[in-house]
Every structure is written in C-alpha cells, then in structure tokens.
Amino acid sequence: MQYEATVPTMKDRAMQALYLLALEPIAECTADPHSYGFRPKRCAADAMVRCQHIFSGADRAQWVLEGDIKACFDNISHEWLIAHVPMDKAILHKWLKAGFMQGRTLWPTDAGTPQGGIISPAVANVALDGLETMLRQNFRRMKRTTNLDKVHLVRYADDFIISGSSRELLVNEVKPQVENFLKARGLELSQEKTSITRIEHGFDFLGWNVRRYSNGSVLAKPSKKSVLTFMRKIRALVKGQKYLPQGALIGMLNPLIRGWANYHRCAMAAKTFHVVSWRIWQTLWRWAKRRHPNKGGHWIARRYWIMNGPRWVFATRGQKRKIVKLIDLADISIQRHVKIQSGANPYDPKWEMYLEGRVQRQMKETLSGRLWKLWYRQEGRCPVCNQLITTETDWHMHHIVWRVQGGSDRLDNLALLHPDCHRQVHSLKFAVA
C-alpha cells in the first residue's frame, strides 16, 4: 500500500518537471529584468548588487519601500493563474485543485500553488512578473537624462524593494498601485512587514543590511538578524551534542559554517566574519569546559585545539592521523560579485557566450590547481554528455585508466565528469576519451 501511495506523487513530480521544461523558457522571455528569485543563472547576490547600484551614483534614490507579500504561495488566485499562465489549462487546474492530505483527511485548495511543487516557483514568478513594467510606465518623469521619480524595483521571489525620490511618492502613489497590481492576483501586502525607510537608516533584504553611509558609499553587510539566526543554530547544535566526539561535531558544524560564509562572502562581511568566528570559539570553549569541568584551561586547549601557524584551530586527528579542523570564518576571503546583465536569457542563443564566460569566471574562483587545469582543458564540458560543468551541476574526478587497473594520478589520466555521468561510466564500464 505504501508503494502504491507514493507512485502518483512521483508521477506528478515528473509531470511537473516536464511541463516546467516548456514553461521556463516562456517565463524567462516575459520576466521582469530585475527579478532574481528562482530563475536560472541568477541568485540573491545579483539582487544585492542591484540594490547597491540603485542607491549609489548621480541618479540615486533617497527612500525605499520594503515590500513583503502576505502568504504569497498560499493565496495566489487560481482563476488568475489558469487564465494567464501559458500552459495546458486542464493540467494546471488539476494541480491547483488537487488538495493536500493531513492525517487521513483530504483538504481542498481554493487558492495558492502546490506546496513543494517543482513548477510552483515558476508559476509564482509568472504571477508577479509585470510589476516592474507597470512601475516603469507610470513613474518615468524625466528631466533631460535624469529620472525624477527614481522608482526602481528589485524582486527576489515574493520579497521586493522599490526605491523612490521621496516618502510621499512611495506612500501616496507607488504603494497604492502595487496593492492594485497584487489584488488582481488575489494577493496583498503584509502591513506588518512592509515599511518605508530612508536609505541612510538602512534596510534589511535577503539577509543583508544595505545602507548609505556619510561618505556616500552604499554597503551591504550581513544583517543582525542573519547573524543571530546563524549563531542560534550553531549554539543549538553544539549544546545538543555534549557527548559527541570532536571529529563528528566538526563534521556537523563545517557545512553550516561553509554555507553561511559562501552566501555572505560577496558582501562587506570581513568584520562580521571575525566577530562570528570569536563567538563560535566562545561556544566551543564552553562545550569543552562542560566535558571536563575538573581540567584547567591549558589542558583543554591542548586537547581540543591545534597550533596552525600563528593561530589555534579547533581540530583533532582522524583516520590515518589526518587533521580534521573546523572552518575558521576569519580565514574566508571576500569575493566581489559581478551582477548578471538584466536582459540575460539562458534560452536566447545571443547570450550563450556571455553566460559561458560567467561560468568560466565562477569556476576559476571555485577551482584551483589541477581541478582548474582539468576544467579549462575540457573547455568546461563533461566529455560524456558534452554539457557544461558548473558549481550547480557539481563534478567528480574520474581516472581514465582505472586505478584498480594500474592507472596513475597524473593529469593526463584524469577527467572531470558530472556525478551522474561518472556513475554511468562505472556501471556500464565504457571508456572516456
């Protein structure tokens, strides 16, 4: 019975993925230029850099409307979606009206998109696209080459900011038009989370605090809320693992630290990284003290920390005496993010060279040494499927002559493959040129 119950779910997900292949190229052609959420080749860092561009320079805005749509994915009008989303209406109607199971009860869905559905983000983006075009048409008062209204939109999924030249413009003209735009789609702004702020006071967006300082520079830093949330996760994990071996604890902490650092390293985060690194050290010191209440500080330091150059690192020796150490946020360098061009479309052939250049720059920053040489030698493509190898697809290193057959680790015996392609090579036992 359990198997029969899961088959329709897998079939539905496969069908959604199939229809997404057809919907996504259309959605990319009609999308707002400065919408960055749930779109291929775009990320939150692009939205952050766009915010900096809006509030810096000669044509800079002074005020910002921070918008948040109340339960966006739960309240989108089914009638609007069926009428406007360019896909099979009968299939879309069935997905939207399928309902959900809670316990043994089937609950109907009268609004919103399927929770966790593969196609849901693309459908929601289609519903919200057009907001930037509407604002551009209605707030474009020009004086020579200067935009007097300074109204610009930056959207990531259902979170967005709108800049403006004055508070009155945003309150009396922009906000009502945004509310009318959303009302037609069955949505409304969250009054609790929607606010209007002067840029000198700063605003939080996607985990960053964007603010213009007295010297005129506009900087994005990790927000206080993001830092507090991250530290709560770290402390809860450490506190809940009082008796876990040190190596296992490091294995649980490193993915959390690496993920948070990689997200924020494109911002002005060096000072924040040092502060958070110190707080992590304090948390781990208390963890070690609790484990050995009768030992002194020098003994604990020698037991759980290893001297690495001029600094101490939280580390231990694992299998084969290999050192397993905690990632130190203070050692992570800041990397400036280059924003994607607003009109870039991965389904338009004229943008292919531009997007491949971005992939190459990103991989050069990610890979080093032998891995970069392999990737560059293969022109960034997997020799099995001839598709690009990126940070999104991930990669495996493959020995052309298998090591069990005497193959070496020399560069001419190595190739980078997609993980799935690598598994096929080994299961089907075919050669890689």
Side-chain angles (χ1 to χ4, degrees), residues 85 116 168 282 291 327 366:
V85 176
E168 291 73 21
Q282 289 178 314
R291 290 166 68 97
I327 294 173
T366 303

Side-chain angles (χ1 to χ4, degrees), residues 63-280:
W63 293 85
V64 58
L65 184 151
E66 304 169 60
D68 184 88
I69 303 171
K70 184 184 294 184
C72 177
F73 287 90
D74 295 332
N75 294 325
I76 299 178
S77 167
H78 285 179
E79 290 71 24
W80 193 95
L81 291 176
I82 293 170
H84 294 88
V85 176
M87 62 172 288
D88 188 291
K89 309 300 181 184
I91 293 293
L92 181 58
H93 183 273
K94 290 178 181 179
W95 283 339
L96 295 175
K97 300 295 185 182
F100 65 93
M101 293 291 295
Q102 187 173 9
R104 294 179 177 270
T105 305
L106 175 64
W107 295 86
T109 47
D110 300 320
T113 55
Q115 293 296 312
I118 294 173
I119 204 171
S120 293
V123 170
N125 266 338
V126 171
L128 296 176
D129 284 332
L131 179 58
E132 185 174 0
T133 302
M134 182 270 292
L135 293 172
R136 186 181 298 143
Q137 291 173 348
N138 294 333
F139 301 98
R140 198 66 178 174
R141 291 179 295 179
M142 303 293 292
K143 184 177 181 180
R144 296 182 181 177
T145 59
T146 303
N147 181 355
L148 298 178
D149 292 325
K150 299 180 176 60
V151 173
H152 303 283
L153 171 77
V154 181
R155 180 170 67 83
Y156 190 94
D158 59 337
D159 291 327
F160 64 89
I161 63 104
I162 301 175
S163 65
S165 58
S166 68
R167 180 182 180 86
E168 291 73 21
L169 175 70
L170 293 175
V171 172
N172 300 327
E173 299 184 47
V174 174
K175 188 177 178 182
Q177 295 207 25
V178 172
E179 289 174 337
N180 291 335
F181 177 89
L182 296 176
K183 186 177 181 180
R185 291 152 175 79
L187 301 171
E188 61 178 322
L189 287 176
S190 170
Q191 298 303 323
E192 299 80 14
K193 297 182 180 179
T194 300
S195 61
I196 297 175
T197 312
R198 192 169 177 85
I199 184 60
E200 283 78 9
H201 298 157
F203 64 93
D204 288 352
F205 187 54
L206 303 178
W208 291 294
N209 180 265
V210 182
R211 179 183 171 190
R212 183 188 296 145
Y213 291 83
S214 56
N215 61 0
S217 61
V218 178
L219 303 179
K221 301 179 180 181
S223 67
K224 291 181 180 178
K225 183 178 178 181
S226 176
V227 172
L228 290 174
T229 302
F230 174 66
M231 284 308 305
R232 285 194 196 103
K233 290 182 181 179
I234 293 292
R235 288 170 182 143
L237 177 59
V238 173
K239 190 174 181 180
Q241 307 297 336
K242 296 179 181 178
Y243 306 106
L244 198 68
Q246 185 183 7
L249 179 62
I250 292 173
M252 297 175 71
L253 288 173
N254 275 347
L256 277 178
I257 297 172
R258 185 183 296 110
W260 191 82
N262 287 342
Y263 183 83
H264 288 289
R265 70 187 303 182
C266 60
M268 292 290 292
K271 185 176 180 180
T272 304
F273 282 181
H274 279 81
V275 172
V276 174
S277 177
W278 168 247
R279 292 180 181 176
I280 292 175

